[in-house]
């Protein structure tokens, strides 16, 4: 699991579980944009961190947000839930469909 893109390769790797699909995750693109560009279908609606349609469980890796507090409860945030439409990768990632 990398915490910075490999030299000469300016992107991370994103894998979804349980289906095992994989795509490039670009640091300046949201996870949702990277998944769509990589051909991975993921539910979405508002694309602005409000509706929670895209919610996912971060099984491995780290993300950052450009907004102060995306539409997650503190409990969800602490349990590793992320909103791929407004989250940016800072490492290789594994996303799971959430169990909540
Ligand atoms: S698509 Fe609405 S919160 Fe991500």
């Amino acid at each position: 699991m990398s915490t910075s893109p490999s030299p000469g390769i300016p992107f991370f790797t994103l894998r979804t579980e349980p289906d095992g699909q994989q795509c490039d995750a670009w640091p300046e693109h949201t996870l949702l944009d990277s998944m769509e560009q990589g051909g991975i279908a993921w539910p979405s609606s508002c694309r602005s961190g409000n509706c929670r349609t895209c919610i996912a469980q971060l099984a491995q890796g780290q993300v950052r947000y450009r907004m102060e507090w995306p539409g997650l409860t503190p409990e969800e945030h602490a349990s590793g839930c992320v909103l791929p439409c407004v989250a940016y990768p800072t490492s290789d990632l594994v996303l799971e469909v959430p169990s909540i």
Side-chain angles (χ1 to χ4, degrees):
M1 184 73 43
S2 171
T3 56
S4 63
S6 300
I9 304 175
F11 53 83
F12 299 106
T13 298
L14 186 159
R15 192 175 77 240
T16 60
E17 295 293 349
D19 58 11
Q21 295 186 86
Q22 190 167 305
C23 70
D24 299 336
W26 299 84
E28 296 305 319
H29 292 193
T30 66
L31 303 184
L32 183 62
D33 284 344
S34 288
M35 286 192 283
E36 290 175 345
Q37 289 172 14
I40 298 174
W42 196 266
S44 68
S45 182
C46 73
R47 306 180 74 91
S48 60
N50 292 309
C51 74
R52 302 164 51 90
T53 301
C54 66
I55 195 165
Q57 185 77 34
L58 187 62
Q60 291 180 37
Q62 297 177 327
V63 299
R64 65 184 169 84
Y65 293 99
R66 289 183 174 164
M67 57 177 40
E68 185 71 23
W69 188 249
L72 296 170
T73 66
E75 293 77 20
E76 289 169 337
H77 196 265
S79 70
C81 288
V82 296
L83 294 175
C85 68
V86 289
Y88 297 81
T90 60
S91 73
D92 290 341
L93 303 164
V94 177
L95 284 187
E96 294 178 342
V97 175
S99 55
I100 57 174

